[in-house]
């Protein structure tokens, strides 16, 4: 299987799998053997002395979870695990007791205040946010809401733009895409594989 999917909705590019962001079997911090929700963000012009040009955030889902970081200078290359993962764990200063796990990182850059905003869940029913000026050290700000509609049933489906590979690493499942562009070339980082066996894969518009 080529891994090329017809673009939908109209005009959306087709991505082709090119590899994994790293070998998860070599990670220092990998408590459950499954990784989800990659989020790729650029550091140029945002951080004075970054570890690399790109930061890749990800997490295991099951307990204890933990927000993790890998970094690299090229979207097509292998990423290096941050040696002190997780950068944000289920226990933080002033945080509530009894949180079984935190996961699903989504990081945004707020240019007005020059900070990264990290959105994550913990427990599954609570979306939380933390902020950072360096993309590594985050300070918890509290719980917040994602837009799901007044009845928590809002879904807007625009169509499939990437069908999963039947073989490695997708094994019939791809999810949680995050997009980046380097030198005019478009990349997609995504969660590949079964829910409890996920890897972070990379696809490219060829």
């Amino acid at each position: 299987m080529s891994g090329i999917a017809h673009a939908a909705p109209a005009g959306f590019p087709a991505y082709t799998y090119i590899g994994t962001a790293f070998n998860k079997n070599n990670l220092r911090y990998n408590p459950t053997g499954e990784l989800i929700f990659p989020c790729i963000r650029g550091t140029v012009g945002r951080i004075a002395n970054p570890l690399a040009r790109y930061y890749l955030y990800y997490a295991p889902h099951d307990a204890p979870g933990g927000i993790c970081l890998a970094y690299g200078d090229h979207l097509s290359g292998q990423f290096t695990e941050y040696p002190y993962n997780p950068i944000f764990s289920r226990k933080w200063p002033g945080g509530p007791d009894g949180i079984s796990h935190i996961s699903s990182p989504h990081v945004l850059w707020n240019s007005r205040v020059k900070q990264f905003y990290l959105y994550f869940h913990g427990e599954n029913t609570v979306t939380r946010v933390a902020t950072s000026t360096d993309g590594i050290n985050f300070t918890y700000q509290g719980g917040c809401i994602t837009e799901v509609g007044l009845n928590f049933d809002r879904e807007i489906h625009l169509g499939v733009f990437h069908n999963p590979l039947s073989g490695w690493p997708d094994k019939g499942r791809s999810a949680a895409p995050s997009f980046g562009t380097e030198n005019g070339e478009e990349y997609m980082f995504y969660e590949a594989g079964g829910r409890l066996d996920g890897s972070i894969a990379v696809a490219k518009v060829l």
Side-chain angles (χ1 to χ4, degrees):
M1 182 175 178
S2 68
I4 300 176
H6 293 293
F12 207 91
Y15 289 84
T16 300
Y17 167 75
I18 61 171
T20 56
F22 45 70
N23 185 341
K24 71 176 183 179
N25 295 323
N26 295 333
L27 295 176
R28 184 194 65 82
Y29 183 79
N30 185 12
T32 61
E34 42 87 28
L35 306 174
I36 66 170
F37 282 94
C39 183
I40 190 75
R41 289 293 176 260
T43 63
V44 175
R46 298 171 176 174
I47 301 174
N49 295 295
L51 299 173
R53 295 182 65 209
Y54 300 99
Y55 283 1
L56 173 61
Y57 301 89
Y58 61 94
H61 182 270
D62 280 4
I67 309 304
C68 299
L69 173 69
Y71 55 91
D73 284 323
H74 301 285
L75 296 179
S76 60
Q78 288 286 289
F79 279 66
T80 299
E81 179 187 19
Y82 183 66
Y84 305 109
N85 279 333
I87 60 172
F88 205 92
S89 69
R90 62 179 174 172
K91 296 181 180 180
W92 62 84
D97 295 327
I99 295 180
S100 67
H101 74 288
I102 64 170
S103 190
S104 66
H106 186 74
V107 178
L108 297 175
W109 170 251
N110 187 324
S111 59
R112 185 177 62 83
V113 297
K114 298 187 181 338
Q115 291 188 31
F116 291 95
Y117 279 61
L118 164 65
Y119 295 87
F120 61 97
H121 77 243
E123 299 295 305
N124 286 346
T125 55
V126 182
T127 298
R128 304 177 185 274
V129 63
T131 58
S132 171
T133 57
D134 64 7
I136 298 175
N137 300 289
F138 284 86
T139 301
Y140 181 64
Q141 300 296 338
C144 60
I145 299 295
T146 58
E147 186 177 356
V148 294
L150 295 177
N151 297 318
F152 296 96
D153 59 359
R154 180 175 181 176
E155 296 182 50
I156 302 175
H157 297 282
L158 299 178
V160 176
F161 65 87
H162 180 80
N163 289 314
L165 300 170
S166 58
W168 170 261
D170 299 6
K171 294 184 282 188
R173 178 179 178 273
S174 60
S178 180
F179 303 94
T181 302
E182 181 182 3
N183 298 325
E185 296 184 307
E186 300 179 52
Y187 294 84
M188 175 177 68
F189 289 70
Y190 67 96
E191 175 188 338
R195 180 190 172 280
L196 297 181
D197 189 34
S199 298
I200 307 302
V202 186
K204 180 181 178 182
V205 177
L206 300 179

